[in-house]
Amino acid sequence: MNEEILIDVKNVNKSFGKRKVIDNLNLRVCTGDVYGFLGPNGSGKTTTIRMILGLVFPQSGQIHVNGHDIRTNYTDAIRDVGAIVENPSAFLYLSGRQNLQLRANLYKDIPASRIDEVLQIVDLQDRAKDKVRTYSLGMKQRLGIAMALLNNPKIVFLDEPTNGLDPQGMKDTKELIVRLAKENGITFFISSHLLNEVEQICTKVGILMSGKLIKQGSVKELLSSNTDIFEVVTADIELAVSLLKEAAYVKSIQTKNDGIVVEIDKNTFSQLNGLLMTHQVTVTSISQQEKSLEQLFLELTSGGEKHV
Ligand SMILES: Nc1ncnc2c1ncn2[C@@H]1O[C@H](COP(=O)(O)OP(=O)(O)OP(=O)(O)O)[C@@H](O)[C@H]1O
Ligand SMILES: [Mg+2]
């Protein structure tokens, strides 16, 4: 597949009154990406999505969707886009099918058969006649995705799609996204404040913090850091901490009940080991930890306060 830029956000700034909520944002999403847009509450995720969809305007910067300027060529920009922003807004007293019909009427050219297709895709065909009021949250979410799929979009925006879902609902939603990306070639832009919810399904991740994109890249790129993390199980926690605090290659230390977790420069393990041995720190075990994206995310978004 040709890598085509579907979303191009350049130097975008947005303030509400005096409060700057988006600060010189630059991001790109290409065909086939499942882009995880991560950030804590209030970091500006929904505002960004609303700007990309042309629902609010930035004070400065440019946004192109599918090659079209969202401001000057809205109709073309939005043609191949599907979206659920915040909660999917279905009418509770109507059935799933009626909701889809209403939504389909907003477009000129959606054939009736498309409603059955999208019901099938999200596995709601058996409940299509029931009122949405009787749906579980997971089913409402899937109905929202069905609505977003009606116009056969190239790219779908999902704002916190797994918010409030139970583990099974989360699993279903994630599987649905992966399936749609693989089988139908749909590109996704998914926001979340919970990293582990998107970590397994995203090909690319951007981390937003107070309106600034502080990291962007593939999950693999973000995880490849220049430090290693070791868990040292020891009864001599105080001694170990006092020694390691002074070592230049130690980047951070966290204490636990039965030992410490220490982050050190890459390839400095023998120095760490040597230091503990020389000072006769009783060590029960030392094991290397894989850094999860969750840890990285917490570090980045908490300003690295664990650093010594
Ligand atoms: N219409 C608005 N008027 C004034 N301030 C707003 C408006 N919309 C958003 N904000 C402010 O912009 C900031 C970013 O909000 P936004 O909803 O984009 O964050 P978010 O990352 O989606 O958060 P959450 O994870 O809670 O959904 C917040 O400080 C919010 O109060
Ligand atoms: Mg939001």
Side-chain angles (χ1 to χ4, degrees):
M1 201 190 303
N2 249 347
E3 200 166 81
E4 189 189 339
I5 299 166
L6 279 185
I7 305 170
D8 196 6
V9 174
K10 275 196 205 134
N11 307 326
V12 162
N13 290 284
K14 173 76 188 166
S15 301
F16 287 109
K18 279 189 186 153
R19 193 186 312 137
K20 185 154 202 167
V21 297
I22 298 297
D23 189 357
N24 198 34
L25 183 68
N26 285 280
L27 65 84
R28 270 186 177 179
V29 179
C30 296
T31 322
D33 282 343
V34 176
Y35 188 96
F37 192 45
L38 296 163
N41 292 131
S43 53
K45 302 178 298 294
T46 301
T47 304
T48 302
I49 294 179
R50 290 171 63 81
M51 288 193 297
I52 299 173
L53 296 175
L55 300 171
V56 288
F57 292 112
Q59 267 82 20
S60 62
Q62 289 88 43
I63 299 175
H64 286 82
V65 180
N66 209 6
H68 305 287
D69 189 316
I70 192 76
R71 194 147 201 174
T72 57
N73 200 353
Y74 176 78
T75 318
D76 287 332
I78 218 71
R79 179 164 299 132
D80 293 317
V81 171
I84 321 179
V85 184
E86 281 173 347
N87 297 317
S89 51
F91 294 106
L92 300 177
Y93 55 89
L94 296 178
S95 71
R97 180 182 291 282
Q98 286 168 323
N99 268 285
L100 285 164
Q101 187 60 61
L102 267 185
R103 174 64 79 103
N105 293 344
L106 298 177
Y107 299 94
K108 273 198 292 268
D109 45 8
I110 292 182
S113 59
R114 181 67 185 155
I115 292 176
D116 287 303
E117 273 170 31
V118 295
L119 281 166
Q120 187 101 29
I121 292 172
V122 302
D123 199 20
L124 275 179
Q125 64 278 35
D126 294 343
R127 298 291 304 269
K129 283 193 193 136
D130 297 342
K131 289 198 173 26
V132 173
R133 151 158 71 68
T134 69
Y135 285 13
S136 70
L137 190 60
M139 292 166 71
K140 284 185 198 144
Q141 196 62 255
R142 298 212 304 277
L143 179 64
I145 295 179
M147 288 184 185
L149 293 174
L150 272 173
N151 59 329
N152 257 313
K154 272 196 198 170
I155 178 154
V156 171
F157 289 81
L158 301 175
D159 193 12
E160 310 257 0
T162 50
N163 222 358
L165 298 187
D166 65 12
Q168 186 60 45
M170 260 180 219
K171 189 164 170 278
D172 292 345
T173 306
K174 284 196 271 193
E175 282 174 3
L176 178 60
I177 293 169
V178 170
R179 182 156 54 85
L180 287 166
K182 279 210 178 110
E183 292 174 12
N184 303 47
I186 295 176
T187 302
F188 280 93
F189 188 92
I190 303 169
S191 81
S192 179
H193 62 279
L194 294 172
L195 179 82
N196 56 358
E197 286 185 9
V198 296
E199 181 172 357
Q200 308 105 317
I201 61 170
C202 290
T203 55
K204 235 183 181 183
V205 176
I207 298 178
L208 191 71
M209 180 70 199
S210 308
K212 280 196 167 86
L213 199 71
I214 55 170
K215 282 256 178 193
Q216 183 173 234
S218 68
V219 173
K220 206 166 147 215
E221 275 162 15
L222 292 193
L223 288 180
S224 64
S225 73
N226 39 20
T227 57
D228 287 326
I229 298 177
F230 288 90
E231 182 170 359
V232 182
V233 178
T234 173
D236 294 335
I237 294 179
E238 260 178 58
L239 175 59
V241 170
S242 67
L243 288 169
L244 293 171
K245 254 166 70 174
E246 304 305 322
Y249 53 85
V250 173
K251 295 300 158 216
S252 72
I253 308 171
Q254 275 174 271
T255 53
K256 297 177 46 170
N257 282 342
D258 60 350
I260 56 170
V261 175
V262 55
E263 183 181 10
I264 57 176
D265 284 339
K266 244 191 173 31
N267 305 323
T268 57
F269 175 70
S270 55
Q271 293 177 56
L272 166 79
N273 202 25
L275 184 69
L276 296 174
M277 274 170 55
T278 312
H279 291 85
Q280 297 177 340
V281 178
T282 320
V283 171
T284 314
S285 68
I286 300 186
S287 51
Q288 188 165 3
Q289 279 193 346
E290 285 288 323
K291 201 174 202 171
S292 71
L293 199 48
E294 186 73 43
Q295 263 170 309
L296 179 73
F297 180 58
L298 288 174
E299 258 171 44
L300 290 171
T301 56
S302 67
E305 59 200 358
K306 297 266 158 51
H307 283 232
V308 284

